[in-house]
Each structure stands twice: as structure tokens, then as C-alpha cells.
Amino acid sequence: MRLESRAAVFAAMLFTTAFAAATPADTMPAALAREVADRTVELIESRALYPREQAEYAQARAALMAAFEGQPAQIERKELYARIRNLLATLDTNQHSFLIPAGRQLTVPRKQAAPDDLPPPAFQLLKTAKGTVLRWTPPPVVGGGMAAVAPYLKRFHDEAAAMPETAQACALVVDLSEQTGGNAWPPLVAMYPLFGDANKANWVDRDGRRKPVVDRAGLEKMNQKLGDGRANPLARFGNGPLAVVSDRRTASAGEMLLVALLGKEQVQTFGNTSAGKTTGNVTYTLADGSTLILTQTRYALGDGPVYRGGIAPTHPIGPGATLKDALTAAAQWAAENSPGCGAADSALSSYRQGEKT
């Protein structure tokens, strides 16, 4: 499957629910409302993850269709949307399916834990006893689909070029704490050198069919098509151990990136359990201009069980610990286990021990 098609069909945009303000009309013609309702039901019943309880779904479906009893000329928009949301709430999706009203735009606000909790630079050097480690914090991006990839790659390369001292780094930490939801594809393309052909991350549909999340060749082709030919600063870390930091804010698109990285060999994760929006969504524009965000897949590694809820790190930080503590532990592990940092021959042994903790 071509990457462009994959992006359109499988979780091209994974969202958290926050909307920019707008004022759509209060009512719509009943015929238009019926078209919206019928299309929603059709998509749910043909593509969405199954309901938790079929009887609960049937009751919500009947309530949606009851809005058209008596053949009204106009339908209250808010009432229609409320009934659709009640229907979506019956699906086994971690409450990750939702409806964006017509005329509104999805946003992913950054939640600051403290007044001085500002976004980190995309690239930062972390010093350890074994050597210097590169921290890359991929910024989130909302909307844009695959059109957002080219500007994202330009920013990625510009920021790396502005910090030539990254060449000193002997290991890599990927920090997903800023990945609070949005469009996963731009950062996925940016980090393509970290993936191999044997990546184990899978999408799993409602009937158990599995498709790979990572298409290494497709990502590289997209990078060649939309990038500007500059060398990828992550390429030299592609074959070595990799540390990944997750956070309670790591959600949705961030969790897609987390699963993709977990599908790689020699990966250890640090921090906190992720937010729990571990499902793949697809966007559909409905007849009135509203957007249906429909959950159609879960994630799994290889033939393993699907993820439900948040993804726990290999190395959780203790109560009261901070993101800085997680980064310190991740950087130390990466340096100790990366041959480029002068790690001892016991590096892989240490990695295997870490797997069991």
C-alpha cells in the first residue's frame, strides 16, 4: 500500500478534542440532517471498532433516528450532534471517536504544568558520564494531512543545522512528551532512519486483521519527495539502542509514534504511562461540513495483544519524579548501551537486563 493511501485510510490524524470557536447555524434542513445521520451510521457499521454492547448501540441508534419522527422541516444542529456523540460513545474506542461541528477547527493546546513549563527546543544535548546524548523532542502538528510533511521537514532540518554541535552526540533520546495529539505523519517521516524493514508495530482492525504501521521504504520515499535533500541528523542512530521518553501528555498521535518506536529492536522507554488514546482514527467530512473522527484500529506489536489504554514505560519514574528525571535516566541508559559512546562489550547484556525490569 502506498504511504499516501495508508495515511488517508489508517489514522492519518489522531486527535485530542479541543475546538476553535465558531458559530454554525442553529438548525439545518431535515433532509440534510438525515443524510448526516445515515452516513454516520453507515461508516460506524461498516468500519468502526465494534460497540461495547450491541444493545447499548441499538438504543443509541434508535434515539438518533427518532430525531426525524413527525417529519420536521428543520433539525436542531446541537441536538443532532448530541445524538451522534451518544452513538459514538457506545463504541469500544477509549472515547476516541468524536464529531467536530461544522465551521469549527480542531486544536491541540499545550497544557503547561507550571508557569515556567515552556516547550523545549527540538534539539538539545544532554551530558552523561559516558558521553553526550542528543535529545530530540518532535513538535506536535495539527491538521494538514500529508501536506504538513514538507514544512515540518524544513523546520526539522533548519533546527538541526542551527545546532551543529549535535554532531558530538553518541546516542539518541526521542522525547515524546510534547506529542499531545494531532497529525503523526510529519514526525514519523522525519524519524524514518530509525526504522527498519522488520518493524513490529501493527494496526489491528475490528476483525483482527493486522497491517504494519511503519513502511520504511514508503517513509523514505516521502522524505525524498518532500524533503530538500539534506542529510537526516537521526540517521547515524538508526542501528543502535534507542531511548524513548513518554509522558502522561503523550496522546493519540504521540502514542502512534510511541508504538512505531516500540516496534524497533533495542528500544527502552522511560517516564510515565501514556494518555491512553491508543487507537487509530480516520477522518470523514459529512454533508453539513462537520467532521467525523472515527476509530477503526488499535495497535499491537507483532502477533501480541492489542493495546488498551495507556502504554506503560519499561522504566517508570517514581512518585514525585519529573520529566527531567526521566530524561536523565533515558540519556544515561542510551549512553551506557550505545557503542558510539564507548560503551563496554556488556552493553547488549545491560540492554537485555533492562528489558526484564
Side-chain angles (χ1 to χ4, degrees):
M1 181 181 292
R2 289 168 41 194
L3 184 61
E4 296 91 333
S5 299
R6 187 187 296 265
V9 176
F10 298 110
M13 288 181 240
L14 311 176
F15 297 116
T16 55
T17 52
F19 308 106
T23 54
D26 291 337
T27 62
M28 68 175 81
L32 177 60
R34 184 59 186 258
E35 187 176 351
V36 169
D38 286 346
R39 177 60 171 160
T40 299
V41 169
E42 176 194 353
L43 289 169
I44 289 174
E45 296 185 354
S46 63
R47 305 181 189 183
L49 295 183
Y50 289 119
R52 293 184 303 273
E53 298 288 343
Q54 190 60 43
E56 182 186 24
Y57 172 79
Q59 183 177 9
R61 186 184 188 280
L64 171 60
M65 294 308 171
F68 304 100
E69 291 178 357
Q71 299 183 336
Q74 296 285 320
I75 297 291
E76 290 285 337
R77 188 180 298 270
K78 288 184 178 180
E79 178 65 21
L80 176 68
Y81 289 169
R83 294 183 189 219
I84 289 175
R85 291 187 181 112
N86 288 339
L87 185 68
L88 294 172
T90 69
L91 303 179
D92 185 18
T93 66
N94 297 55
Q95 300 298 310
H96 204 193
S97 291
F98 52 95
L99 186 73
I100 303 175
R104 296 198 179 187
Q105 183 177 356
L106 193 70
T107 63
V108 178
R110 186 179 190 279
K111 296 180 181 178
Q112 291 182 222
D116 59 351
D117 178 24
L118 300 175
F123 292 97
Q124 184 180 16
L125 294 179
L126 305 175
K127 301 292 186 180
T128 77
K130 292 288 187 178
T132 301
V133 176
L134 177 62
R135 172 195 183 188
W136 178 50
T137 308
V141 57
V142 179
M146 300 309 286
V149 172
Y152 194 93
L153 290 177
K154 182 179 185 304
R155 173 183 175 179
F156 171 72
H157 286 290
D158 286 348
E159 289 174 339
M163 193 176 175
E165 58 269 33
T166 58
Q168 303 171 13
C170 57
L172 175 66
V173 171
V174 177
D175 176 11
L176 297 178
S177 62
E178 291 296 313
Q179 281 288 327
T180 55
N183 184 351
W185 290 98
L188 192 70
V189 175
M191 68 173 76
Y192 87 88
L194 302 180
F195 301 119
D197 294 331
N199 191 282
K200 296 180 180 179
N202 284 320
W203 280 298
V204 185
D205 72 11
R206 64 186 189 174
D207 295 316
R209 291 184 291 263
R210 299 183 181 228
K211 294 182 181 293
V213 173
V214 174
D215 174 4
R216 172 60 163 75
L219 291 172
E220 184 173 9
K221 182 179 179 181
M222 186 63 64
N223 177 74
Q224 292 171 349
K225 178 180 178 181
L226 297 175
D228 55 13
R230 284 182 280 182
N232 191 300
L234 307 182
R236 57 200 176 93
F237 305 111
N239 295 323
L242 176 68
V244 178
V245 171
S246 64
D247 186 82
R248 295 183 184 92
R249 297 185 302 193
T250 305
S252 196
E255 288 167 308
M256 174 177 165
L257 298 174
L258 178 57
V259 172
L261 290 167
L262 284 168
K264 170 184 165 64
E265 294 291 337
Q266 301 188 73
V267 169
Q268 295 280 282
T269 55
F270 299 78
N272 286 299
T273 299
S274 64
K277 300 296 184 182
T278 46
T279 53
N281 290 354
V282 182
T283 63
Y284 299 95
T285 301
L286 301 179
D288 72 322
S290 59
T291 303
L292 176 66
I293 310 297
L294 191 64
T295 305
Q296 298 184 193
T297 56
R298 292 189 178 276
Y299 298 112
L301 295 178
D303 294 327
V306 296
Y307 286 107
R308 288 181 174 273
I311 301 172
T314 317
H315 305 272
I317 57 176
T322 64
L323 175 61
K324 183 178 179 180
D325 297 321
L327 288 166
T328 298
Q332 289 174 347
W333 180 89
E336 290 170 359
N337 289 278
S338 295
C341 296
D345 291 340
S346 61
L348 288 181
S349 176
S350 299
Y351 162 71
R352 295 300 178 193
Q353 291 173 6
E355 265 189 334
K356 298 174 184 178
T357 59

